[in-house]
Amino acid sequence: MISKELRSIAALLASTFAMMVGTGLAGMLIPLRAVLEDWSPTAIGWIGTCYAIAFTAGCLVTPILVKRVGHIRIFAALQTLLGASLLLHALVVNPITWCLFRALGGMALAGGYMVVESWLNEKADNANRGKIFSAYMVVSMTGVAAGQYIVPFGDIGTSVLFMVGTMAFSMSMLPISLSTSQAPRPLTRVTINPKRLFQRSPAAMVGSFLAGVIFGVWNYFGPLYGQALGLSSTGIATMLASGMIGGVVFQYPIGRLSDMIDRRYVMALAGAVGVAISVGMIIIAPKEPLYIVLGIFALGSVLFPIYALNIAHANDSAQPEEFVEVSGGLLIVYGIGNMVGPQLGGRLMDAAGPNGFFIAIGGTYAVYGFYAFWRSLRTQAVEPSLRSDFQIVPVIPAQTPETVAMDARTSD
């Protein structure tokens, strides 16, 4: 039986699911269609960079827009922009215009995330925050996976799948528009003081940037890697889903381990695992879909948890009232890494083919792990009794300041 808390957010979760279906579909469709058009990985990387720049900008601009016109109106406007941006990809097929269209979609998607998450935050308190957070994560993951599995049912060379994605964004407006729930408080706004953030926790700041680089490579070139290995659209969707599942399965045990020992050791271990998996995938060069999926599942075990490790490590040395400032600042740094990742991945895949995907990821993991270990030699670890508890973050394509506000440590 559905609990009272989940019934109260059913409309929000329904809107989230529809939005994530469109997001998952677009995230897989756009790079695959770009390959079909014979665009180079470097050109595709620029599309990804424009998306990341606009997404980060959307996190900063959306609170201002919501303050002027309200949550429901801005959410409807943003979903309309998302649908329009996706349709424009089908109407004007050119790498330069796709950079502009993807940027429009990135800014709109950031706003959509923030509106939904701020509403969920309004419904959450210390007693039910975990349940609401878990429901949001499950619905988000399921929506992304469902969108990816729609791609095999269409022809990426036509406009049909772009229309389906637009329909999903349009449907996301209905539950929130018809909801009788009271509009939430103003959205969370973040500022960043890079010097103070670095002084407080160099490993967390550098680690957040590198985690952003890794996820930027994964987000845009994961589908291309699967296609280059000969996977079908269904196989690519399964491969991407296996990475998310790996992140869900391993995030908690990795987090608990980091609560018991120096988190920088765990960050270094995650970096070493990422390097080992990347080197293994290059050497083995699996051709069977099962082995490819298993390899990506293993990669997911350290792909998603490292960002949460960075936040936990930074907050170990911060005051409780600084949580939003610290985590929000790391989020901006992570977004900058997202801008760099597609550039790195595109150029290395241009130079080395499919292996360039894991060269980019493995090389970044090596820097991530080495720097964390080097920092552990420079300063003492925070005593376990003084550390904040590790908190799981949503295994979804992006984070916003409102994702930070959903963390239980915000209310503490």
Side-chain angles (χ1 to χ4, degrees), residues 71-83:
H71 288 74
I72 294 178
R73 287 180 180 176
I74 197 64
F75 184 79
L78 292 171
Q79 297 307 302
T80 301
L81 286 176
L82 274 169

Side-chain angles (χ1 to χ4, degrees), residues 127-147:
N128 63 18
R129 185 176 296 274
K131 185 180 294 186
I132 288 177
F133 184 84
S134 298
Y136 172 67
M137 187 160 65
V138 170
V139 168
S140 298
M141 285 182 54
T142 305
V144 170

Side-chain angles (χ1 to χ4, degrees), residues 128-337:
N128 63 18
R129 185 176 296 274
K131 185 180 294 186
I132 288 177
F133 184 84
S134 298
Y136 172 67
M137 187 160 65
V138 170
V139 168
S140 298
M141 285 182 54
T142 305
V144 170
Q148 292 168 346
Y149 275 105
I150 289 174
V151 175
F153 292 96
D155 182 354
I156 62 174
T158 69
S159 61
V160 173
L161 287 172
F162 292 94
M163 292 187 218
V164 173
T166 299
M167 289 173 57
F169 290 129
S170 298
M171 292 298 293
S172 71
M173 288 188 278
L174 292 178
I176 280 186
S177 298
L178 299 176
S179 173
T180 58
S181 297
Q182 184 177 357
R185 56 171 174 70
L187 269 64
T188 303
R189 299 180 67 176
V190 300
T191 58
I192 178 172
N193 185 328
K195 182 178 179 180
R196 185 165 63 181
L197 195 61
F198 183 80
Q199 289 174 340
R200 176 178 284 113
S201 180
M205 185 171 176
V206 174
S208 292
F209 171 77
L210 295 172
V213 173
I214 291 169
F215 198 81
V217 176
W218 161 261
N219 203 30
Y220 255 79
F221 294 100
L224 270 59
Y225 172 77
Q227 186 186 60
L229 294 187
L231 293 181
S232 65
S233 295
T234 302
I236 294 172
T238 302
M239 182 194 79
L240 297 176
S242 71
M244 288 195 295
I245 294 170
V248 171
V249 171
F250 285 94
Q251 191 168 170
Y252 182 76
I254 287 176
R256 293 303 299 162
L257 177 62
S258 76
D259 284 340
M260 294 183 287
I261 64 175
D262 189 336
R263 291 198 208 277
R264 292 168 297 185
Y265 291 159
V266 182
M267 293 162 70
L269 176 62
V273 171
V275 171
I277 293 169
S278 299
V279 172
M281 292 293 282
I282 292 171
I283 294 174
I284 297 172
K287 301 297 183 184
E288 292 294 324
L290 175 62
Y291 299 128
I292 296 171
V293 167
L294 289 176
I296 297 299
F297 172 84
L299 179 68
S301 69
V302 290
L303 179 65
F304 295 96
I306 56 174
Y307 178 63
L309 282 173
N310 299 328
I311 293 177
H313 178 58
N315 282 289
D316 286 343
S317 55
Q319 298 300 315
E321 63 273 13
E322 296 176 318
F323 173 77
V324 173
E325 177 190 348
V326 171
S327 299
L330 292 179
L331 177 65
I332 301 301
V333 174
Y334 177 81
I336 295 172

